[in-house]
Amino acid sequence: MSINAAIEELSTLLGQRLSRSKSDLDQHGTSETHFALTPPDAVAYPANTEEVSAIVKICARHHCPVVGFGAGTSLEGQTLAVQGGVVVDFRDMAAVLHVGAEDMDVTVQPGITREVLNEELRATGLMFPVDPGANASIGGMASTRASGTTAVRYGTMRDNVLGLEVVLADGRIIQTGTRARKSSAGYDLTALFVGAEGTLGLITALTLRLHGQPEAVTSAVCAFDDIEAAVSAVQMTIQMGIPMARIEFVDAATVAAVNAYSKMDLPLCPHLLIEFNGSDSAVEEQATLFGEVVEEFGAKGFEWAKKPEERKALWTMRHHAYWAIVQSRQGCKALVTDICVPISNLAEAVEQTRADIAASPIEGPILGHVGDGNFHAILLFDEANEAEVQAANDLSHRMVERALALGGTATGEHGIGLGKKKYMQAEHGAGWDVMGDIKQALDPQNLMNPGKLVRGN
Amino acid sequence: MSINAAIEELSTLLGQRLSRSKSDLDQHGTSETHFALTPPDAVAYPANTEEVSAIVKICARHHCPVVGFGAGTSLEGQTLAVQGGVVVDFRDMAAVLHVGAEDMDVTVQPGITREVLNEELRATGLMFPVDPGANASIGGMASTRASGTTAVRYGTMRDNVLGLEVVLADGRIIQTGTRARKSSAGYDLTALFVGAEGTLGLITALTLRLHGQPEAVTSAVCAFDDIEAAVSAVQMTIQMGIPMARIEFVDAATVAAVNAYSKMDLPLCPHLLIEFNGSDSAVEEQATLFGEVVEEFGAKGFEWAKKPEERKALWTMRHHAYWAIVQSRQGCKALVTDICVPISNLAEAVEQTRADIAASPIEGPILGHVGDGNFHAILLFDEANEAEVQAANDLSHRMVERALALGGTATGEHGIGLGKKKYMQAEHGAGWDVMGDIKQALDPQNLMNPGKLVRGN
């Protein structure tokens, strides 16, 4: 079999760094969410770009699928080798290659996680702000075009990757972008590979835009009577140009889960969590203005967390919300939705979703990045209960339909993977065919993460 | 001949809106800079997207080249029909289609110019900030990935286009992106068409990100002893996170030209022009901090232009700098360079360029967007003087080599067109082949703006 022939050659190339142990295969066949175990045929641990290129060349010769793997935190089964083949795990390519403090950029290997990167940057006064919650790898974050709580201020991976090194489907190594802040030199290949989920090539290095660590940070939490008031307050804040670093929404059901999990006692109603970054006086001014805005919309219990430990508790609570929700019902699985709509339609989208979930037999707390119009319902179901599985899938399906009808997208930040592929035609129309043409041009054998993102298998 | 057959059919479709008058052909065969007159075979003035699609289908059937045209302000001959064919002028597709004040976005047709757009937005409190100086069309700005004086704060066209409607090379119409602020749904087709210079399709509508008109604006100008001091002051300002709306550099030769043209009397040394946007107190704070920074670097004559008319004079002077320089020598042509380097290498790049120009037989004032590391030398030469033509070309060539050696790009914001195509191989290596593969996949007949951007003709 061709996959076996590839594995034999890879084994000669990599020795112990090609693994076929059951535990390794199972670990790389698992997803964070509801997808079934899908072990690959082998896991490769390359040490450098040349080895990645050699791996891909071997796989290309033997028609063996290649799937990239960072920290395994993706939520749509992006790293599952659904056609078998080799998972390339970037565990051993996790170094910081160059810190350009003067240029506020850094070049890293794809396996480094965002927390390790920020730890390494601490002494420079700089930070990499994109924060999807999970301690994801930077290569994975780029591949799924991740964002998270800070996108409202600092943008998504699209906005923070300056350039890439990529191993193409035939093993050629290319550089995209430069270390200059901008360029008009031809097609934006950097943007093409960011969000491509490894279907066009494997990212082997990334140059990232850094930002200064803010002089001052304040966070706050406040409660609202209903979702609409909370969203309206956010809209006005954005329109006034008050530069929020984070603005997060949690519904009453999420509050109940995090209260239990993080031993907090927030009132059981919708909340906004907010953070401002800047100079002392700027943060003070922003906080005051924001306080006036939310008061207009009937916010209650408005409280500033000025101390670092209070702030940390607040954002740890937010980052643990997913786990808090999943653990609120023992033994359940989670279907995580990820729609994003124009902000003017956000209150409607959240309210309709909430009502839809309330009328269903399952629970689905809602939380999201309200400054971007992006929110998640964490739909909890018992795998063994067919009615619940069906209800979760139906709710998720209707959320996407709702998002598309409201001018939005099936996925704000989690990507397509296996879970959202069925919506690509509805969202992109003939644009999906164009994606297929690009895939065909750059990966004619369909070996790079096959079965994902584009039409066909 | 196939082009004639296409024109005959187009004439039936468009009637008077297909022009073959000499004045029209010449006007569309002219460039702003040094490229030779290259009239197309015909100029089409479509009224809507369906007509653009019909035009492209006719051209595809008859193998007739198609070149998009906005305001004709591009600097690298992007709109010249070097293989003949039809120029599609978007003059009659210049409407605002939808203002989403709540979402801070707007959907426009490609022919609208940025000044008209901002005029139409004035009452909404919103603005479209990308400002390349010239009153370019929005479609053209997207196609060349334009930026200009405000990119340091608001980003380039890459950052401010949310979605597009595009007519592909076979006449199909696609929508890219959504009105949501972000999406992880597949390949970033929006980013692919932004900067593609019409080689992959014609942009027929654009949804743009808007920004709030700032409550307060202050501008300032100050003089430095040398380029290095000016650049160092900018670097420190950026590192301190002081959010500049514009930060522009002009050298002594540029100052001499604008003094003569705009009747000003700035001292003949390098200057920085700066602008801050924000709330009254934020602008005040930023201005004070900036004043302290530039003082450290020996700035002289630091002066705030708080009154609107003073500010306007300052930026009008900057916007007219190109014309001031061109008119400083009667009857000359201009070769406009556009390199962009990492900011840590900017002083070196400017200084080497200045010395190189000084040692040449021609003049070449330097000015640029120093916050992005992007600068232009306006190389003035007499077309009839072969030694001067050669000197201009040689200087431009060495600037690009210098930029690439310093980790930068051949073009920060003007694009490839005809002038920079020869550097694509050096800048992108195998990445240029990937661009060619994409072009081949989406425009297999090579009819969309042929001869530009990708390898071959």
Side-chain angles (χ1 to χ4, degrees):
Chain A
M1 202 190 138
S2 56
I3 289 177
N4 286 334
I7 287 172
E8 203 167 306
E9 262 196 70
L10 290 170
S11 190
T12 308
L13 175 76
L14 298 169
Q16 293 291 317
R17 290 182 292 106
L18 188 84
S19 170
R20 304 200 71 181
S21 81
K22 183 171 185 319
S23 67
D24 241 354
L25 300 184
D26 281 356
Q27 188 213 321
H28 291 84
T30 307
S31 94
E32 285 272 343
T33 50
H34 61 285
F35 299 99
L37 184 71
T38 315
D41 290 290
V43 181
Y45 295 95
N48 53 51
T49 301
E50 289 64 37
E51 268 189 6
V52 176
S53 169
I55 291 168
V56 172
K57 281 179 182 165
I58 289 170
C59 289
R61 208 156 51 234
H62 296 288
H63 308 286
C64 172
V66 180
V67 182
F69 188 98
T73 57
S74 62
L75 296 170
E76 295 290 359
Q78 276 92 343
T79 60
L80 299 179
V82 289
Q83 299 184 16
V86 176
V87 162
V88 177
D89 185 325
F90 287 101
R91 178 194 70 188
D92 300 339
M93 288 177 67
V96 173
L97 300 175
H98 176 260
V99 179
E102 278 186 295
D103 294 305
M104 299 175 76
D105 65 14
V106 66
T107 302
V108 300
Q109 290 185 306
I112 194 168
T113 65
R114 62 173 188 86
E115 287 179 6
V116 170
L117 173 59
N118 277 316
E119 205 48 61
E120 297 215 13
L121 290 172
R122 195 169 302 274
T124 64
L126 299 168
M127 64 173 187
F128 184 68
V130 183
D131 177 4
N135 187 21
S137 72
I138 296 293
M141 286 167 64
S143 291
T144 51
R145 205 182 295 123
S147 45
T149 53
T150 60
V152 66
R153 168 71 169 265
Y154 298 100
T156 73
M157 288 304 282
R158 178 189 200 273
D159 309 301
N160 287 287
V161 177
L162 287 167
L164 298 170
E165 180 185 74
V166 179
V167 172
L168 299 173
D170 58 7
R172 273 178 305 162
I173 302 164
I174 63 166
Q175 311 288 334
T176 75
T178 67
R179 287 188 57 232
R181 282 276 134 166
K182 65 184 191 184
S183 171
S184 286
Y187 304 154
D188 190 345
L189 296 183
T190 304
L192 184 64
F193 288 101
V194 170
E197 303 188 0
T199 61
L200 298 176
L202 293 176
I203 295 172
T204 49
L206 309 92
T207 298
L208 308 171
R209 188 186 287 264
L210 299 177
H211 300 260
Q213 290 166 15
E215 182 188 323
V217 179
T218 13
S219 296
V221 61
C222 54
F224 290 84
D225 284 335
D226 52 42
I227 290 163
E228 202 171 345
V231 171
S232 300
V234 173
Q235 265 182 307
M236 174 153 294
T237 309
I238 292 173
Q239 276 168 17
M240 289 174 65
I242 307 175
M244 300 162 288
R246 311 180 198 242
I247 179 100
E248 295 288 303
F249 169 81
V250 288
D251 75 350
T254 301
V255 170
V258 298
N259 274 349
Y261 186 89
S262 298
K263 318 252 177 302
M264 310 199 47
D265 57 354
L266 297 170
L268 296 179
C269 53
H271 280 71
L272 287 181
L273 284 63
I274 186 154
E275 184 171 292
F276 293 111
N277 292 352
S279 67
D280 281 313
S281 58
V283 162
E284 180 99 23
E285 184 190 3
Q286 291 156 16
T288 307
L289 282 169
F290 180 73
E292 290 167 17
V293 170
V294 294
E295 203 186 312
E296 250 184 74
F297 292 94
K300 293 170 297 192
F302 187 64
E303 238 182 277
W304 288 107
K306 287 190 183 170
K307 291 187 196 155
E309 60 274 22
E310 288 169 12
R311 276 206 322 274
K312 201 169 169 208
L314 191 69
W315 294 109
T316 302
M317 178 268 272
R318 168 63 187 85
H319 277 159
H320 290 173
Y322 171 69
W323 296 111
I325 291 165
V326 171
Q327 294 196 14
S328 69
R329 182 175 166 193
Q330 253 193 335
C332 73
K333 283 265 176 184
L335 198 164
V336 184
T337 65
D338 179 38
I339 66 173
C340 187
V341 297
I343 295 181
S344 61
N345 292 330
L346 181 60
E348 186 181 345
V350 173
E351 193 42 62
Q352 287 181 9
T353 301
R354 203 201 49 72
D356 203 7
I357 295 169
S360 85
I362 62 171
E363 302 285 317
I366 291 174
L367 68 173
H369 316 304
V370 68
D372 309 322
N374 179 209
F375 69 95
H376 315 294
I378 316 289
L379 304 171
L380 300 176
F381 63 95
D382 173 358
E383 257 185 314
N385 182 328
E386 262 181 50
E388 291 198 6
V389 173
Q390 190 62 44
N393 284 325
D394 289 353
L395 283 167
S396 170
H397 182 76
R398 285 194 295 272
M399 280 183 76
V400 173
E401 284 188 326
R402 198 171 290 132
L404 299 185
L406 293 171
T409 173
T411 168
E413 56 184 14
H414 296 170
I416 299 303
L418 297 170
K420 297 295 186 289
K421 196 174 155 189
K422 55 183 169 289
Y423 303 114
M424 290 295 275
Q425 173 65 37
E427 180 161 342
H428 298 287
W432 198 29
D433 298 327
V434 173
M435 296 185 201
D437 293 342
I438 293 169
K439 166 77 172 178
Q440 171 68 25
L442 301 193
D443 178 22
Q445 289 199 82
N446 188 25
L447 295 178
M448 307 307 289
N449 208 0
K452 314 284 169 66
L453 204 145
V454 292
R455 200 189 300 283
N457 290 308
Chain B
M1 203 190 140
S2 56
I3 289 178
N4 285 335
I7 286 173
E8 206 167 304
E9 263 196 67
L10 290 171
S11 191
T12 309
L13 176 74
L14 299 169
Q16 293 291 318
R17 291 183 290 107
L18 188 83
S19 170
R20 302 198 73 181
S21 81
K22 184 170 185 320
S23 67
D24 240 354
L25 299 185
D26 281 356
Q27 188 213 321
H28 291 85
T30 307
S31 95
E32 285 272 344
T33 50
H34 60 286
F35 299 99
L37 184 72
T38 315
D41 291 290
V43 181
Y45 295 96
N48 54 51
T49 301
E50 289 62 40
E51 269 190 5
V52 176
S53 168
I55 290 168
V56 172
K57 280 179 182 164
I58 289 169
C59 290
R61 208 157 52 233
H62 295 289
H63 309 287
C64 171
V66 180
V67 182
F69 188 99
T73 57
S74 62
L75 296 169
E76 296 289 0
Q78 275 93 344
T79 60
L80 299 179
V82 290
Q83 299 183 16
V86 176
V87 162
V88 177
D89 185 324
F90 287 102
R91 180 194 69 187
D92 300 339
M93 289 177 66
V96 173
L97 300 175
H98 175 260
V99 179
E102 279 186 296
D103 294 305
M104 299 175 78
D105 65 14
V106 66
T107 302
V108 300
Q109 290 184 306
I112 193 168
T113 65
R114 63 172 188 85
E115 287 179 6
V116 170
L117 173 59
N118 277 314
E119 204 48 60
E120 298 216 13
L121 290 172
R122 194 171 305 273
T124 64
L126 299 169
M127 64 173 187
F128 184 67
V130 183
D131 177 4
N135 187 21
S137 72
I138 297 293
M141 286 168 63
S143 291
T144 51
R145 206 182 294 124
S147 44
T149 54
T150 60
V152 67
R153 168 70 169 265
Y154 298 101
T156 72
M157 288 304 282
R158 178 189 201 274
D159 309 302
N160 287 287
V161 178
L162 287 167
L164 298 170
E165 179 185 74
V166 179
V167 171
L168 299 174
D170 59 6
R172 272 178 304 162
I173 302 164
I174 63 166
Q175 311 287 334
T176 76
T178 68
R179 285 188 59 233
R181 283 275 134 167
K182 63 183 193 185
S183 171
S184 285
Y187 305 154
D188 190 344
L189 296 183
T190 304
L192 184 64
F193 288 100
V194 169
E197 302 188 0
T199 61
L200 299 176
L202 293 177
I203 296 172
T204 49
L206 310 93
T207 298
L208 308 171
R209 188 185 287 264
L210 299 177
H211 300 260
Q213 290 166 15
E215 181 186 324
V217 179
T218 12
S219 297
V221 61
C222 54
F224 290 85
D225 285 334
D226 52 41
I227 289 162
E228 200 171 345
V231 171
S232 300
V234 173
Q235 265 181 306
M236 174 155 294
T237 309
I238 293 172
Q239 276 167 20
M240 287 173 66
I242 307 176
M244 301 162 289
R246 310 180 198 242
I247 179 100
E248 294 288 302
F249 169 82
V250 288
D251 75 349
T254 301
V255 170
V258 299
N259 274 349
Y261 186 89
S262 297
K263 318 253 178 300
M264 309 199 49
D265 57 353
L266 296 170
L268 296 180
C269 53
H271 280 70
L272 287 180
L273 282 64
I274 186 155
E275 184 171 292
F276 293 111
N277 292 353
S279 67
D280 282 312
S281 59
V283 162
E284 179 99 23
E285 185 190 3
Q286 291 157 17
T288 307
L289 281 170
F290 180 73
E292 290 167 15
V293 170
V294 295
E295 203 186 314
E296 250 184 74
F297 292 94
K300 292 170 298 191
F302 187 66
E303 238 183 276
W304 287 107
K306 287 191 183 169
K307 290 187 197 155
E309 59 273 21
E310 289 170 10
R311 274 207 321 275
K312 201 169 170 210
L314 191 69
W315 293 109
T316 301
M317 179 269 273
R318 169 62 187 84
H319 277 159
H320 289 171
Y322 171 69
W323 296 111
I325 290 165
V326 170
Q327 294 197 13
S328 68
R329 183 176 167 195
Q330 254 195 332
C332 72
K333 283 266 175 183
L335 198 164
V336 184
T337 66
D338 179 38
I339 67 173
C340 187
V341 297
I343 295 180
S344 61
N345 293 329
L346 180 60
E348 186 181 346
V350 173
E351 193 42 64
Q352 286 181 10
T353 301
R354 203 202 48 72
D356 203 7
I357 294 169
S360 84
I362 62 171
E363 302 286 317
I366 291 174
L367 68 172
H369 315 304
V370 68
D372 309 323
N374 180 209
F375 69 96
H376 314 295
I378 316 289
L379 303 170
L380 300 176
F381 62 96
D382 172 359
E383 256 185 312
N385 181 327
E386 263 183 47
E388 289 198 5
V389 173
Q390 189 63 45
N393 284 325
D394 289 352
L395 283 166
S396 170
H397 182 75
R398 284 194 296 272
M399 280 182 77
V400 173
E401 285 188 324
R402 200 172 289 133
L404 299 184
L406 292 171
T409 173
T411 168
E413 58 184 13
H414 295 168
I416 299 303
L418 296 170
K420 297 295 186 291
K421 197 175 155 188
K422 54 183 171 288
Y423 302 115
M424 290 294 277
Q425 174 64 39
E427 179 161 341
H428 297 289
W432 198 29
D433 298 327
V434 173
M435 295 184 202
D437 293 341
I438 294 169
K439 167 77 172 175
Q440 171 68 26
L442 301 194
D443 179 20
Q445 288 200 83
N446 188 26
L447 296 179
M448 307 308 289
N449 207 0
K452 313 284 169 64
L453 204 148
V454 292
R455 199 190 299 285
N457 290 307

